[in-house]
Amino acid sequence: MFSLKLLGGASVERSGSPVTGRAARGHRLALLALLARGRPLTRDQVLAVLFPEADTDRGRRSLSDAIYLIRTGLGEDVLLAPGDELRLNSERVASDVAEFERLLDEGRTEDAVRAYTGPLLDGFHLAECVEFEQWLDGERLRLVARYSAALERLAEAGEERKEWATAAGWW
């Protein structure tokens, strides 16, 4: 099982150790990040974000190369590609982003707050890929808004219980 650590940094880990090599860098890591929420994306959606300047043929070749390098480095079954869609195989790859959102959706607010270890892909950039940077900015804002709302809920719950020190800590 691999762990995709995208909150507070950017890495792929196996058994607690970082995976090195081409599968966990650059456009490949960006592709994994795009798929981290567990929702499938079409190849065209991925091309628009990761290879916007490339013509269709060159963009599709670049995407195929990225998929090949991920599968070679992490395993053939890490990425699933039914039809024109791409998605992470959740049985082979755990994502901290997906975990954070799952915990929030289940109402496990304290666990979710503990799972949020910092901004999405903190310190990671794709040179000259404005579309990816725009996607990243939007996702960072969306996730930090969910995190902030969770902190606020916890603080208000502490106030309702008259646990002032706990509430102050969440604030």
Side-chain angles (χ1 to χ4, degrees), residues 4-11 29-34 96-97 118-125 132-133 135-136 139-140 143:
L4 191 53
K5 304 287 187 179
L6 303 175
L7 297 172
S11 68
L29 185 57
L31 173 57
L32 293 171
L34 284 172
D96 59 354
V97 172
L120 179 66
L121 292 171
D122 198 22
F124 179 85
H125 299 281
F132 177 76
E133 295 298 325
W135 171 84
L136 181 56
E139 281 298 290
R140 280 181 181 150
L143 291 171

Side-chain angles (χ1 to χ4, degrees), residues 5 33 40 42 93 104 118 141 163 167:
K5 304 287 187 179
T42 66
V93 182
L104 283 176
L141 288 173
E163 296 173 358

Side-chain angles (χ1 to χ4, degrees), residues 19-37:
V19 173
T20 58
R22 295 172 62 190
R25 294 192 313 236
H27 280 81
R28 280 85 50 205
L29 185 57
L31 173 57
L32 293 171
L34 284 172
L35 300 172
R37 289 179 64 193

Side-chain angles (χ1 to χ4, degrees), residues 31-32 34-36 38-42 46 71 77-82 84-91 93:
L31 173 57
L32 293 171
L34 284 172
L35 300 172
R39 295 184 177 100
L41 295 175
T42 66
V46 173
R71 286 179 167 167
D77 59 347
V78 166
L79 283 179
L80 302 175
D84 193 44
E85 290 184 337
L86 294 171
R87 67 181 173 86
L88 285 179
N89 181 349
S90 61
E91 293 176 10
V93 182

Side-chain angles (χ1 to χ4, degrees), residues 38-60:
R39 295 184 177 100
L41 295 175
T42 66
R43 289 174 190 265
D44 286 339
Q45 288 172 314
V46 173
L47 289 172
V49 175
L50 294 182
F51 306 104
E53 301 299 321
D55 62 62
T56 303
D57 289 338
R58 197 175 95 225
R60 286 202 175 265

